[in-house]
Amino acid sequence: MTDVQHDAATRSLEQLEEEGDIAADYIEELLDICDLDGDIDIDARNGRAYVSVHASDAADLAVLSRPDTVTALQELTRLAVQTKTGAFSRLILDVGGSRDARRDELGRLVARAAERLEAGASEAALPPMSSYERKLVHDLVAERGLHSESRGEGADRHTVITRVG
């Protein structure tokens, strides 16, 4: 476990709630600047702060809920939190259900990989993705009774799926 992972794993609920509050203030200011309506929910679990933005009219958040936009906003929000707290943040941002949509997409990738394995492939590699997305993939793969591991470094880090044993 790296120092950053250990630090994040040992963060108290109070620290995670502080991260969530700072992130929510940052996102709220962004929504105001963009003249968008949205409600913000904050949660803390699994050593991370989770900030969700939703609106009664999903069209209000359509532009901000695109996967690349959410990733960029998440990084900017993490930087805002880090600037205020002095500590690296692993917060997760969800805009307009973007995380559920991404989880569904990852589920389809895992299903196609499983089909390749059933067709005789010895392994199936998925494209590079964030550590959070790789964690979701590892969970989805385990649910199917398959094995997965991360390979590569930095931006090329990806998940490889194999049959068990």
Side-chain angles (χ1 to χ4, degrees), residues 33-112:
I33 290 168
C34 296
D35 196 29
L36 295 173
D37 290 323
D39 296 315
I40 300 172
D41 293 325
I42 305 166
D43 190 17
R45 62 184 186 276
N46 303 323
R48 292 181 187 238
Y50 287 77
V51 177
S52 300
V53 183
H54 50 91
S56 55
D57 182 0
D60 286 348
L61 300 176
V63 172
L64 296 180
S65 64
R66 293 179 184 154
D68 290 343
T69 305
V70 173
T71 299
L73 286 174
Q74 178 174 277
E75 290 307 312
L76 289 171
T77 305
R78 285 177 173 178
L79 286 171
V81 169
Q82 183 173 342
T83 299
K84 291 235 177 178
T85 65
F88 177 77
S89 172
R90 296 177 50 212
L91 80 87
I92 299 297
L93 177 65
D94 177 64
V95 180
S98 59
R99 292 290 168 193
D100 288 340
R102 181 62 175 152
R103 182 178 168 81
D104 292 346
E105 183 180 336
L106 292 172
R108 289 189 293 276
L109 282 174
V110 168
R112 286 195 294 275

Side-chain angles (χ1 to χ4, degrees), residues 142-157:
E143 288 172 11
R144 290 179 165 271
L146 297 170
H147 173 75
S148 61
E149 64 181 50
S150 293
R151 295 184 188 164
E153 299 294 326
D156 291 328
R157 194 136 173 94

